Amino acid sequence: TTMVKGKTLEEAMKIEKEELIKKLGGRDKIPPIKYHCSILALDALHEAIYNYYRQNNLPIPKRLEVEHERIQKTLKNIEKRHEDFLKMEREILR
């Protein structure tokens, strides 16, 4: 949140994963297994901006629309994998 304070929505959308990692101390400070956290943070930011545009009936920039579609596709994939895992777990526990 501190990286986007005072920025316009357009400026906030331009924040890149590497920029965020650098701000968090760089690759030397962040364990590789935690890199995905920065991606999740940026995805959450993009979805919040997308929702703001939608709720205020503003035209959604193409780049934001593409990001939203990617995020939604990833979310559906994760939900499907979780559902499959639960099904497998239930069968094992029978």
Side-chain angles (χ1 to χ4, degrees):
T1 57
T2 58
M3 286 185 72
V4 298
K5 282 185 181 178
K7 292 187 184 305
T8 65
L9 295 176
E10 292 79 17
E11 291 169 334
M13 276 296 301
K14 291 179 183 176
I15 296 172
E16 299 287 334
K17 177 181 73 168
E18 288 302 320
E19 182 183 355
L20 179 57
I21 289 171
K22 184 178 178 182
K23 186 77 169 176
L24 294 171
R27 291 191 180 269
D28 295 338
K29 302 282 184 189
I30 303 171
I33 198 165
K34 295 296 183 178
Y35 289 155
H36 73 282
C37 297
S38 61
I39 295 168
L40 292 174
L42 287 177
D43 285 354
L45 172 64
H46 293 158
E47 284 296 277
I49 294 170
Y50 179 88
N51 288 334
Y52 177 83
Y53 275 101
R54 283 199 53 217
Q55 290 172 357
N56 290 285
N57 296 317
L58 299 170
I60 300 171
K62 181 64 177 167
R63 178 177 180 231
L64 184 57
E65 188 67 49
V66 169
E67 275 296 293
H68 172 71
E69 289 171 9
R70 180 193 59 77
I71 292 165
Q72 292 302 307
K73 183 178 177 182
T74 300
L75 180 60
K76 286 178 185 173
N77 186 335
I78 291 169
E79 288 173 346
K80 173 73 171 108
R81 289 170 55 195
H82 180 69
E83 181 182 306
D84 291 345
F85 172 79
L86 292 176
K87 187 186 297 181
M88 179 185 71
E89 186 179 53
R90 282 191 295 271
E91 296 213 2
I92 289 172
L93 295 174
R94 280 186 193 192

